[in-house]
Coordinates of all heavy atoms in Angstrom, one line a residue:
T1 N 159.4 -17.2 48.7 CA 158.9 -17.3 47.4 C 157.8 -18.4 47.4 O 158.0 -19.5 48.0 CB 160.0 -17.8 46.4 OG1 161.0 -16.8 46.5 CG2 159.5 -17.9 45.0
V2 N 156.7 -18.1 46.8 CA 155.6 -19.0 46.6 C 155.5 -19.3 45.2 O 155.4 -18.5 44.3 CB 154.2 -18.4 47.1 CG1 153.1 -19.3 46.9 CG2 154.3 -18.0 48.6
V3 N 155.4 -20.6 44.9 CA 155.3 -21.1 43.5 C 153.8 -21.3 43.2 O 153.2 -22.1 44.0 CB 156.1 -22.3 43.2 CG1 155.9 -22.8 41.8 CG2 157.6 -22.1 43.4
L4 N 153.2 -20.7 42.3 CA 151.8 -20.8 42.0 C 151.6 -22.0 41.0 O 152.3 -22.1 40.0 CB 151.2 -19.6 41.3 CG 151.4 -18.3 42.2 CD1 150.9 -17.1 41.4 CD2 150.6 -18.4 43.5
A5 N 150.7 -22.9 41.4 CA 150.4 -24.0 40.5 C 148.9 -24.2 40.5 O 148.3 -24.4 41.5 CB 151.0 -25.3 41.1
P6 N 148.3 -23.9 39.4 CA 148.9 -23.6 38.1 C 149.4 -22.2 38.0 O 148.9 -21.3 38.8 CB 147.8 -23.9 37.1 CG 146.5 -23.5 37.8 CD 146.8 -24.0 39.2
A7 N 150.3 -22.0 37.1 CA 150.8 -20.6 36.9 C 149.7 -19.7 36.5 O 148.8 -20.0 35.9 CB 151.9 -20.6 35.8
Q8 N 149.8 -18.4 37.0 CA 148.9 -17.4 36.7 C 149.5 -16.5 35.7 O 150.4 -15.7 36.0 CB 148.5 -16.6 38.0 CG 148.0 -17.5 39.1 CD 146.7 -18.2 38.7 OE1 145.6 -17.5 38.6 NE2 146.7 -19.5 38.5
A9 N 149.2 -16.6 34.4 CA 149.9 -15.9 33.4 C 148.9 -15.2 32.4 O 149.3 -15.0 31.2 CB 150.8 -16.8 32.6
N10 N 147.7 -15.0 32.8 CA 146.7 -14.4 31.9 C 146.1 -13.1 32.4 O 144.9 -12.8 32.1 CB 145.6 -15.4 31.6 CG 146.1 -16.6 30.8 OD1 146.7 -16.4 29.8 ND2 145.8 -17.8 31.3
G11 N 146.8 -12.4 33.2 CA 146.3 -11.1 33.8 C 145.3 -11.4 34.9 O 144.5 -10.5 35.2
E12 N 145.3 -12.5 35.6 CA 144.3 -12.8 36.6 C 144.6 -11.8 37.8 O 145.7 -11.4 38.1 CB 144.5 -14.2 37.2 CG 144.2 -15.3 36.2 CD 145.5 -15.7 35.4 OE1 146.5 -15.1 35.5 OE2 145.4 -16.8 34.7
L13 N 143.5 -11.5 38.5 CA 143.6 -10.8 39.8 C 143.8 -11.8 40.9 O 143.1 -12.8 41.0 CB 142.3 -10.0 40.0 CG 142.1 -8.8 39.1 CD1 140.7 -8.2 39.4 CD2 143.2 -7.8 39.2
L14 N 144.8 -11.5 41.8 CA 145.1 -12.4 42.9 C 145.0 -11.6 44.2 O 145.4 -10.5 44.3 CB 146.5 -12.9 42.7 CG 146.9 -13.6 41.4 CD1 148.4 -13.9 41.3 CD2 146.1 -14.9 41.3
D15 N 144.4 -12.3 45.2 CA 144.4 -11.7 46.6 C 145.5 -12.3 47.4 O 145.7 -13.5 47.4 CB 143.1 -11.9 47.3 CG 141.9 -11.1 46.7 OD1 142.2 -10.0 46.2 OD2 140.8 -11.6 46.8
V16 N 146.3 -11.4 48.1 CA 147.4 -11.9 48.9 C 147.2 -11.4 50.3 O 146.9 -10.3 50.6 CB 148.8 -11.3 48.3 CG1 149.9 -11.8 49.2 CG2 148.9 -11.6 46.9
V17 N 147.3 -12.4 51.2 CA 147.2 -12.1 52.7 C 148.4 -12.6 53.4 O 149.1 -13.5 53.0 CB 145.9 -12.7 53.3 CG1 144.7 -12.1 52.6 CG2 145.9 -14.2 53.2
A18 N 148.7 -12.0 54.6 CA 149.7 -12.5 55.5 C 149.0 -13.1 56.7 O 148.0 -12.5 57.2 CB 150.6 -11.3 55.9
I19 N 149.5 -14.3 57.2 CA 148.8 -14.9 58.3 C 149.9 -15.2 59.4 O 151.0 -15.7 59.1 CB 148.3 -16.3 57.8 CG1 147.3 -16.1 56.7 CG2 147.6 -17.0 59.0 CD1 146.8 -17.4 56.0
D20 N 149.6 -14.7 60.6 CA 150.6 -14.9 61.7 C 150.5 -16.3 62.3 O 149.6 -17.1 61.9 CB 150.5 -13.8 62.7 CG 149.2 -13.8 63.5 OD1 148.5 -14.8 63.5 OD2 148.9 -12.7 64.1
D21 N 151.3 -16.6 63.3 CA 151.4 -17.9 64.0 C 150.1 -18.2 64.6 O 149.8 -19.4 64.8 CB 152.5 -17.9 65.0 CG 153.9 -17.9 64.3 OD1 154.0 -18.2 63.1 OD2 154.9 -17.6 65.0
A22 N 149.3 -17.2 65.0 CA 148.0 -17.5 65.7 C 146.9 -17.7 64.7 O 145.7 -18.0 65.0 CB 147.6 -16.3 66.6
G23 N 147.2 -17.6 63.4 CA 146.2 -17.9 62.3 C 145.4 -16.7 62.0 O 144.4 -16.8 61.2
V24 N 145.8 -15.5 62.5 CA 145.1 -14.2 62.2 C 145.7 -13.7 60.9 O 146.9 -13.6 60.7 CB 145.2 -13.2 63.3 CG1 144.5 -11.9 63.0 CG2 144.7 -13.8 64.6
S25 N 144.8 -13.4 59.9 CA 145.3 -12.9 58.6 C 145.0 -11.4 58.4 O 144.1 -10.8 59.0 CB 144.6 -13.7 57.5 OG 143.2 -13.4 57.4
S26 N 145.8 -10.8 57.6 CA 145.7 -9.4 57.2 C 144.5 -9.3 56.3 O 144.0 -10.2 55.8 CB 147.0 -8.9 56.6 OG 147.1 -9.6 55.3
L27 N 144.2 -8.0 56.0 CA 143.3 -7.7 54.9 C 144.0 -8.1 53.6 O 145.2 -8.0 53.5 CB 142.9 -6.3 54.9 CG 142.0 -5.8 56.1 CD1 141.9 -4.3 56.0 CD2 140.7 -6.5 56.1
P28 N 143.2 -8.5 52.6 CA 143.9 -8.9 51.3 C 144.4 -7.7 50.6 O 143.8 -6.6 50.6 CB 142.8 -9.6 50.6 CG 141.5 -9.1 51.2 CD 141.8 -8.8 52.6
T29 N 145.5 -7.9 49.9 CA 146.0 -6.9 48.9 C 145.9 -7.6 47.6 O 146.2 -8.7 47.4 CB 147.5 -6.6 49.2 OG1 147.5 -6.0 50.5 CG2 148.0 -5.6 48.2
Q30 N 145.4 -6.8 46.6 CA 145.2 -7.4 45.3 C 146.4 -7.1 44.3 O 146.9 -5.9 44.4 CB 143.9 -6.9 44.7 CG 143.4 -7.8 43.6 CD 141.9 -7.5 43.3 OE1 141.6 -6.4 42.8 NE2 141.0 -8.4 43.6
I31 N 146.8 -8.0 43.5 CA 147.8 -7.9 42.5 C 147.3 -8.5 41.3 O 146.5 -9.5 41.3 CB 149.1 -8.5 43.1 CG1 150.3 -8.2 42.1 CG2 149.0 -10.0 43.2 CD1 151.7 -8.6 42.7
T32 N 147.8 -8.0 40.1 CA 147.5 -8.6 38.8 C 148.6 -9.3 38.3 O 149.8 -8.8 38.2 CB 147.1 -7.4 37.8 OG1 146.0 -6.7 38.4 CG2 146.7 -8.0 36.5
A33 N 148.4 -10.6 37.9 CA 149.4 -11.4 37.3 C 149.7 -10.9 36.0 O 148.9 -10.3 35.3 CB 148.9 -12.9 37.3
P34 N 151.0 -11.2 35.5 CA 151.3 -10.7 34.1 C 150.5 -11.5 33.1 O 150.0 -12.6 33.3 CB 152.8 -11.0 34.0 CG 153.0 -12.2 34.9 CD 152.0 -12.0 36.1
D35 N 150.2 -10.8 31.9 CA 149.6 -11.5 30.8 C 150.7 -11.8 29.8 O 151.0 -11.0 29.0 CB 148.5 -10.6 30.2 CG 147.7 -11.3 29.1 OD1 148.0 -12.4 28.8 OD2 146.7 -10.7 28.6
I36 N 151.2 -13.0 29.9 CA 152.3 -13.4 29.0 C 151.8 -14.5 28.0 O 152.6 -15.1 27.3 CB 153.5 -13.9 29.8 CG1 153.1 -15.1 30.7 CG2 154.1 -12.8 30.6 CD1 154.3 -15.8 31.4
T37 N 150.5 -14.8 28.0 CA 149.9 -15.7 27.1 C 149.5 -15.0 25.8 O 148.7 -14.1 25.9 CB 148.7 -16.5 27.7 OG1 149.2 -17.0 29.0 CG2 148.2 -17.5 26.8
A38 N 149.9 -15.5 24.7 CA 149.6 -14.9 23.4 C 148.0 -15.1 23.2 O 147.5 -16.1 23.5 CB 150.3 -15.5 22.3
P39 N 147.4 -14.1 22.6 CA 146.0 -14.2 22.3 C 145.8 -15.3 21.2 O 146.7 -15.5 20.4 CB 145.5 -12.9 21.8 CG 146.8 -12.2 21.4 CD 147.9 -12.8 22.2
A40 N 144.6 -15.8 21.1 CA 144.3 -16.7 20.0 C 144.2 -15.9 18.7 O 144.0 -14.7 18.7 CB 142.9 -17.4 20.2
A41 N 144.4 -16.6 17.6 CA 144.4 -15.9 16.3 C 143.0 -15.3 16.1 O 142.0 -15.9 16.5 CB 144.7 -16.9 15.2
P42 N 142.9 -14.2 15.4 CA 141.6 -13.6 15.0 C 140.7 -14.7 14.3 O 141.2 -15.5 13.6 CB 141.9 -12.4 14.1 CG 143.3 -12.1 14.5 CD 144.0 -13.4 14.8
S43 N 139.4 -14.5 14.5 CA 138.5 -15.5 13.9 C 137.3 -14.7 13.2 O 137.2 -13.5 13.4 CB 137.9 -16.5 14.9 OG 137.2 -15.8 15.9
E44 N 136.4 -15.5 12.5 CA 135.3 -15.0 11.9 C 135.6 -13.8 11.0 O 134.9 -12.8 10.9 CB 134.2 -14.6 12.9 CG 133.7 -15.7 13.8 CD 132.7 -15.3 14.8 OE1 131.9 -14.4 14.6 OE2 132.8 -15.9 15.9
L45 N 136.7 -13.9 10.3 CA 137.2 -12.8 9.4 C 136.4 -12.7 8.2 O 136.0 -13.7 7.6 CB 138.7 -13.1 9.1 CG 139.7 -13.1 10.2 CD1 141.1 -13.5 9.8 CD2 139.7 -11.7 10.9
A46 N 136.2 -11.4 7.7 CA 135.5 -11.1 6.5 C 136.1 -9.8 5.9 O 136.5 -8.9 6.7 CB 134.0 -11.0 6.7
V47 N 136.1 -9.7 4.6 CA 136.4 -8.5 3.9 C 135.2 -8.1 3.2 O 134.5 -8.9 2.5 CB 137.6 -8.8 2.9 CG1 138.0 -7.5 2.2 CG2 138.8 -9.3 3.7
N48 N 134.9 -6.8 3.2 CA 133.7 -6.3 2.6 C 133.9 -6.4 1.0 O 135.0 -6.6 0.5 CB 133.3 -4.9 3.0 CG 134.2 -3.8 2.6 OD1 135.4 -4.1 2.2 ND2 133.8 -2.5 2.6
A49 N 132.8 -6.2 0.3 CA 132.7 -6.4 -1.1 C 133.8 -5.5 -1.9 O 134.3 -6.0 -2.9 CB 131.3 -6.1 -1.7
D50 N 134.0 -4.3 -1.4 CA 135.0 -3.5 -2.2 C 136.4 -3.6 -1.6 O 137.3 -2.8 -2.1 CB 134.5 -2.0 -2.3 CG 134.4 -1.3 -1.0 OD1 134.7 -1.9 0.1 OD2 134.0 -0.1 -1.0
G51 N 136.7 -4.5 -0.6 CA 138.0 -4.7 -0.1 C 138.6 -3.6 0.8 O 139.8 -3.5 0.9
T52 N 137.7 -2.8 1.4 CA 138.2 -1.7 2.2 C 138.0 -1.9 3.7 O 138.6 -1.1 4.4 CB 137.5 -0.4 1.8 OG1 136.1 -0.6 2.0 CG2 137.8 0.0 0.3
V53 N 137.3 -2.9 4.1 CA 137.1 -3.1 5.5 C 137.2 -4.6 5.9 O 136.7 -5.4 5.2 CB 135.7 -2.6 6.0 CG1 135.4 -2.9 7.4 CG2 135.5 -1.1 5.7
V54 N 138.0 -4.9 6.9 CA 138.1 -6.2 7.5 C 137.5 -6.3 8.8 O 137.7 -5.4 9.7 CB 139.6 -6.6 7.6 CG1 139.8 -8.0 8.3 CG2 140.3 -6.6 6.3
T55 N 136.6 -7.3 9.1 CA 135.9 -7.4 10.3 C 136.2 -8.8 10.9 O 136.7 -9.7 10.2 CB 134.4 -7.3 10.2 OG1 133.9 -8.2 9.3 CG2 134.0 -5.9 9.7
G56 N 136.0 -9.0 12.2 CA 136.2 -10.3 12.8 C 136.1 -10.2 14.3 O 135.6 -9.2 14.8
R57 N 136.6 -11.2 15.0 CA 136.6 -11.3 16.4 C 138.0 -11.6 16.9 O 138.7 -12.4 16.2 CB 135.6 -12.4 16.9 CG 134.2 -12.0 16.4 CD 133.2 -12.9 17.1 NE 133.2 -12.8 18.6 CZ 132.7 -11.8 19.3 NH1 132.2 -10.8 18.7 NH2 132.8 -11.9 20.6
A58 N 138.4 -11.1 18.1 CA 139.7 -11.4 18.7 C 139.6 -11.1 20.2 O 138.6 -10.5 20.7 CB 140.8 -10.5 18.0
E59 N 140.6 -11.4 20.9 CA 140.6 -11.1 22.4 C 140.5 -9.6 22.7 O 141.2 -8.8 22.1 CB 142.0 -11.6 23.0 CG 142.1 -11.4 24.4 CD 143.4 -11.8 25.0 OE1 143.9 -13.0 24.7 OE2 144.0 -11.1 25.8
P60 N 139.5 -9.3 23.5 CA 139.3 -7.9 23.9 C 140.6 -7.3 24.4 O 141.3 -7.9 25.2 CB 138.2 -7.9 25.0 CG 137.5 -9.2 24.7 CD 138.5 -10.2 24.2
G61 N 140.9 -6.1 24.0 CA 142.1 -5.4 24.4 C 143.3 -5.7 23.5 O 144.4 -5.0 23.6
S62 N 143.3 -6.7 22.7 CA 144.4 -7.1 21.9 C 144.4 -6.1 20.7 O 143.4 -5.5 20.3 CB 144.4 -8.5 21.4 OG 143.3 -8.8 20.6
T63 N 145.5 -6.0 20.0 CA 145.7 -5.2 18.8 C 145.7 -6.1 17.6 O 146.4 -7.1 17.5 CB 146.9 -4.4 18.8 OG1 146.9 -3.5 19.9 CG2 147.1 -3.5 17.5
V64 N 144.8 -5.8 16.6 CA 144.8 -6.6 15.4 C 145.3 -5.7 14.3 O 145.0 -4.6 14.1 CB 143.3 -7.0 15.0 CG1 143.3 -7.7 13.7 CG2 142.8 -7.9 16.1
R65 N 146.3 -6.3 13.5 CA 146.9 -5.6 12.4 C 146.6 -6.4 11.1 O 146.8 -7.6 11.1 CB 148.4 -5.4 12.6 CG 148.7 -4.5 13.7 CD 150.2 -4.2 13.7 NE 150.6 -3.4 14.9 CZ 151.2 -3.8 15.9 NH1 151.6 -5.0 16.0 NH2 151.4 -2.9 16.9
V66 N 146.4 -5.7 10.0 CA 146.3 -6.3 8.7 C 147.6 -5.9 8.0 O 147.9 -4.7 7.8 CB 145.0 -5.8 7.9 CG1 145.0 -6.4 6.5 CG2 143.8 -6.1 8.7
L67 N 148.3 -6.9 7.5 CA 149.6 -6.7 6.9 C 149.4 -6.9 5.4 O 148.7 -7.8 4.9 CB 150.7 -7.6 7.4 CG 150.9 -7.5 8.9 CD1 151.9 -8.5 9.4 CD2 151.4 -6.1 9.3
A68 N 150.2 -6.2 4.6 CA 150.3 -6.4 3.1 C 151.0 -7.8 2.8 O 151.6 -8.4 3.7 CB 151.0 -5.3 2.4
A69 N 150.9 -8.2 1.6 CA 151.6 -9.4 1.2 C 153.1 -9.5 1.5 O 153.6 -10.6 1.7 CB 151.4 -9.7 -0.3
D70 N 153.7 -8.3 1.7 CA 155.2 -8.3 2.0 C 155.4 -8.7 3.5 O 156.5 -9.0 3.9 CB 155.8 -7.0 1.7 CG 155.3 -5.8 2.5 OD1 154.6 -6.1 3.5 OD2 155.6 -4.7 2.2
G71 N 154.3 -8.8 4.3 CA 154.4 -9.2 5.7 C 154.9 -8.2 6.6 O 155.0 -8.4 7.8
T72 N 155.2 -7.0 6.1 CA 155.7 -5.9 7.0 C 154.9 -4.6 6.9 O 154.8 -3.9 7.9 CB 157.2 -5.6 6.8 OG1 157.3 -5.2 5.4 CG2 158.0 -6.8 7.1
T73 N 154.3 -4.3 5.8 CA 153.6 -3.1 5.6 C 152.2 -3.2 6.3 O 151.4 -4.1 5.9 CB 153.4 -2.7 4.1 OG1 154.7 -2.7 3.5 CG2 152.6 -1.4 3.9
V74 N 151.9 -2.3 7.2 CA 150.6 -2.3 8.0 C 149.6 -1.6 7.1 O 149.8 -0.4 6.9 CB 150.8 -1.7 9.4 CG1 149.4 -1.7 10.1 CG2 151.8 -2.5 10.2
L75 N 148.5 -2.3 6.8 CA 147.4 -1.7 6.0 C 146.4 -1.1 6.9 O 145.6 -0.2 6.5 CB 146.8 -2.7 5.1 CG 147.7 -3.3 4.0 CD1 147.0 -4.4 3.2 CD2 148.3 -2.3 3.1
G76 N 146.3 -1.6 8.1 CA 145.3 -1.1 9.1 C 145.5 -1.8 10.4 O 146.1 -2.9 10.5
S77 N 145.0 -1.1 11.5 CA 145.2 -1.6 12.8 C 144.1 -1.1 13.7 O 143.6 0.0 13.5 CB 146.6 -1.2 13.3 OG 146.8 -1.5 14.7
V78 N 143.8 -1.9 14.7 CA 142.7 -1.5 15.7 C 142.9 -2.3 17.0 O 143.4 -3.4 17.0 CB 141.3 -1.7 15.1 CG1 141.0 -3.2 15.0 CG2 140.3 -1.0 16.0
V79 N 142.6 -1.6 18.1 CA 142.5 -2.3 19.4 C 141.1 -2.8 19.5 O 140.1 -2.1 19.4 CB 142.8 -1.3 20.6 CG1 142.6 -2.0 21.9 CG2 144.2 -0.8 20.4
V80 N 141.0 -4.1 19.8 CA 139.7 -4.8 19.9 C 139.0 -4.3 21.1 O 139.5 -4.3 22.2 CB 139.9 -6.3 20.0 CG1 138.6 -7.1 20.0 CG2 140.7 -6.8 18.8
G81 N 137.7 -4.0 21.0 CA 136.8 -3.5 22.0 C 136.4 -4.6 23.0 O 136.7 -5.8 22.8
A82 N 135.6 -4.3 24.0 CA 135.2 -5.2 25.1 C 134.4 -6.3 24.6 O 134.4 -7.4 25.2 CB 134.5 -4.4 26.1
T83 N 133.7 -6.2 23.5 CA 132.8 -7.2 23.0 C 133.6 -8.3 22.2 O 133.1 -9.4 21.9 CB 131.7 -6.7 22.0 OG1 132.3 -6.1 20.9 CG2 130.8 -5.7 22.8
G84 N 134.8 -8.0 21.8 CA 135.6 -8.9 21.1 C 135.5 -8.8 19.6 O 136.2 -9.4 18.8
S85 N 134.7 -7.9 19.1 CA 134.5 -7.7 17.7 C 135.4 -6.5 17.2 O 135.6 -5.6 18.0 CB 133.1 -7.6 17.2 OG 132.5 -6.4 17.8
F86 N 135.8 -6.5 16.0 CA 136.6 -5.4 15.4 C 136.2 -5.1 14.0 O 135.7 -6.0 13.3 CB 138.1 -5.7 15.6 CG 138.6 -6.8 14.8 CD1 139.0 -6.5 13.4 CD2 138.7 -8.0 15.3 CE1 139.5 -7.6 12.6 CE2 139.2 -9.1 14.5 CZ 139.6 -8.9 13.2
S87 N 136.6 -3.9 13.6 CA 136.4 -3.5 12.2 C 137.6 -2.6 11.9 O 137.9 -1.7 12.6 CB 135.1 -2.7 12.0 OG 134.9 -2.3 10.7
I88 N 138.3 -2.9 10.8 CA 139.5 -2.2 10.4 C 139.2 -1.6 9.0 O 139.0 -2.4 8.0 CB 140.7 -3.0 10.4 CG1 141.0 -3.6 11.7 CG2 141.9 -2.2 9.9 CD1 142.1 -4.6 11.8
T89 N 139.3 -0.3 8.8 CA 139.2 0.3 7.5 C 140.6 0.4 6.9 O 141.5 0.9 7.6 CB 138.6 1.7 7.6 OG1 137.3 1.6 8.2 CG2 138.5 2.3 6.2
L90 N 140.8 -0.2 5.7 CA 142.1 -0.3 5.1 C 142.3 1.0 4.3 O 141.5 1.7 3.9 CB 142.2 -1.5 4.2 CG 141.9 -2.8 4.9 CD1 141.9 -3.9 3.8 CD2 142.8 -3.1 6.0

C-alpha cells in the first residue's frame, strides 16, 4: 500500500510504474483518482427579466439544479459544459 501525500481526490490522472531491484522501471499505467471533493457553489447567478431562465458558472461536468422554495421540487437542471457556464430554462 502506498499512501499519497497530498491525497489525490479530484479526479487527477496518475501514472503508476513498477521498478525492479536493478532500478529498471516498467512502462507507466495510468489511473484516475476518485473525485470525492464537492464542487464549489455556483457563482455569477442571474435570473432573466421574466423569471424563466437561470444562468451562471459552476464546475464543468457538475449538475446544477434549481429547487423551489420547498427545497425538494426541482424546477430545472443541467450538466455544466466544458466552459463552466450554464443556462437552465425553468
Side-chain angles (χ1 to χ4, degrees):
T1 301
V2 175
V3 177
L4 301 175
Q8 305 294 291
N10 293 309
E12 297 91 349
L13 292 177
L14 306 172
D15 286 333
V16 181
V17 297
I19 303 169
D20 66 17
D21 290 341
V24 179
S25 65
S26 68
L27 292 173
T29 299
Q30 201 165 66
I31 187 170
T32 303
D35 186 355
I36 59 174
T37 303
S43 62
E44 301 176 34
L45 297 172
V47 179
N48 71 340
D50 64 3
T52 60
V53 178
V54 175
T55 59
R57 299 192 57 76
E59 180 180 314
S62 65
T63 299
V64 175
R65 291 186 183 110
V66 177
L67 302 177
D70 65 12
T72 58
T73 303
V74 177
L75 301 176
S77 176
V78 70
V79 175
V80 180
T83 64
S85 62
F86 66 86
S87 178
I88 301 172
T89 301
L90 305 177

